[in-house]
Amino acid sequence: MRYPRSIRLLIEEFKKLPGIGEKNAQRLAFYLLGAPAERAQALASSMLRMKETVRHCERCFNLTEDQLCDICLDPGRTEGLLCVVQSPLDLMAIEATGQFRGSYHVLMGVLSPMRGVGPEDLKLSELMERVSEGNVQEVIIATNLDVEGEATASYLVTALAPLKVKITRIARGIPIGGSLEQADSLTLGLAIDGRLEL
Amino acid sequence: MRYPRSIRLLIEEFKKLPGIGEKNAQRLAFYLLGAPAERAQALASSMLRMKETVRHCERCFNLTEDQLCDICLDPGRTEGLLCVVQSPLDLMAIEATGQFRGSYHVLMGVLSPMRGVGPEDLKLSELMERVSEGNVQEVIIATNLDVEGEATASYLVTALAPLKVKITRIARGIPIGGSLEQADSLTLGLAIDGRLEL
């Protein structure tokens, strides 16, 4: 004798989620079994609702439930300063700093020959088009500081060059609370190169 | 700007599950956002299906999708040997040993004056009725070995006494791989009392 079929099926579905193993999946299934029916209904319907309603902003590819996202619709955001990020989560990380009042463009990935991701798989032509419109004065490239993010940044510099726009890259350096002794020498070298006058 | 509303709502629902915090809930929500719609649909429908179909066996209170559970319906299980457990999960733990071929009775809890659980809250009258039918020769009490489980076992011994049935308790002793040095003295004393001839 094993669990009734519908419990086993639910456990299998939970196990497909990231970071959920057999034991965790069992615990979740039995929790829901014992919980009021409304709990399972609320979870199920919020999953389906999210899949139905969330889409990408037609302008910047941020997540939204409308045609354009909150940021693109905000008249207080500077169109002249355009920050290019890999994913909506990176955009949200920058928003969480509360320091940036420009606009964004989400590439929806990075160039990765290893994984077969080329320029045509990213929102690059859309970026070129936005910059071509002439309102953008500066493009801040905020892709990750890893190999793929740096390669994508280099590609963007070349691609944007004909458009005569100022291109900047987020600063590389020692993180707050970090120690010079433990920093890798590449980062430390870049931190010295990028020093600011006090 | 924060996540779109439907993502936030889903994160809140995930956080209500045991062992799922803010970070995990975000990870699950964004995983489902990126996954094919069928993934969310399968998870949602298997949750709802389980809540609809799973109920308790009318005889032993094990989990089932029918009137009687697989074990109660199995003609190969001895009705004369009845194992009393606290929950369907304990039943499944015993089934996993593959050693027990008798029947079960799930109490659906233990006596707990602290939490206001009395005999009338458990499936006790149903147990008495089953034993009264006269086919049961031995009742094995397999409640937990903690205070509440032991108190429930004592209660069962008294309650079943008039029915003139053999009553046994699962063995208390040192677990496999356990060391005598690390065992508590109560367990060790019980292990000596319960010694078996080799």
Side-chain angles (χ1 to χ4, degrees), chain B residues 21-34:
Chain B
E22 175 73 26
K23 279 277 166 196
N24 261 327
Q26 283 178 17
R27 188 163 52 142
L28 293 174
F30 279 98
Y31 167 78
L32 285 178
L33 190 66

Side-chain angles (χ1 to χ4, degrees), chain B residues 162-188:
Chain B
L163 300 177
K164 309 279 183 222
V165 70
K166 181 176 173 185
I167 304 173
T168 55
R169 181 86 169 106
I170 49 166
R172 286 157 286 200
I174 311 297
I176 304 293
S179 76
L180 269 65
E181 192 188 77
Q182 280 165 23
D184 64 291
S185 55
L186 195 61
T187 300
L188 193 50

Side-chain angles (χ1 to χ4, degrees), chain B:
Chain B
M1 192 256 161
R2 288 290 299 157
Y3 306 139
R5 186 178 143 77
S6 62
I7 300 183
R8 269 184 289 128
L9 289 178
L10 178 57
I11 291 172
E12 288 310 310
E13 287 301 326
F14 271 129
K15 277 166 67 180
K16 291 176 186 166
L17 298 178
I20 308 269
E22 175 73 26
K23 279 277 166 196
N24 261 327
Q26 283 178 17
R27 188 163 52 142
L28 293 174
F30 279 98
Y31 167 78
L32 285 178
L33 190 66
E38 295 76 37
R39 179 59 43 84
Q41 277 155 11
L43 178 54
S45 66
S46 56
M47 272 193 293
L48 299 176
R49 213 185 118 68
M50 182 199 69
K51 288 299 282 183
E52 271 169 25
T53 60
V54 175
R55 48 179 172 157
H56 292 284
C57 171
E58 292 184 5
R59 186 160 173 76
C60 79
F61 302 97
N62 183 18
L63 298 173
T64 180
E65 295 183 359
D66 304 295
Q67 220 171 346
L68 294 176
C69 75
D70 291 359
I71 295 174
C72 285
L73 289 172
D74 183 349
R77 311 289 299 225
T78 322
E79 259 201 85
L81 194 58
L82 188 66
C83 182
V84 179
V85 291
Q86 297 182 196
S87 75
L89 286 177
D90 292 339
L91 181 158
M92 284 166 195
I94 295 176
E95 282 298 289
T97 68
Q99 285 195 11
F100 183 70
R101 298 297 299 163
S103 308
Y104 292 93
H105 190 85
V106 182
L107 289 178
M108 299 301 292
V110 269
L111 296 177
S112 172
M114 293 281 284
R115 287 180 290 119
V117 182
E120 65 287 355
D121 300 311
L122 306 180
K123 301 299 180 188
L124 269 173
S125 58
E126 291 85 348
L127 172 64
M128 304 300 284
E129 205 174 304
R130 284 181 75 182
V131 177
S132 305
E133 285 168 9
N135 292 326
V136 177
Q137 277 102 48
E138 179 178 346
V139 173
I140 305 175
I141 304 177
T143 52
N144 282 344
L145 280 304
D146 55 15
V147 177
E148 294 180 342
E150 291 286 19
T152 307
S154 301
Y155 183 92
L156 284 176
V157 169
T158 313
L160 291 168
L163 300 177
K164 309 279 183 222
V165 70
K166 181 176 173 185
I167 304 173
T168 55
R169 181 86 169 106
I170 49 166
R172 286 157 286 200
I174 311 297
I176 304 293
S179 76
L180 269 65
E181 192 188 77
Q182 280 165 23
D184 64 291
S185 55
L186 195 61
T187 300
L188 193 50
L190 291 165
I192 292 169
D193 280 351
R195 66 193 178 279
L196 295 173
E197 201 176 321
L198 298 178

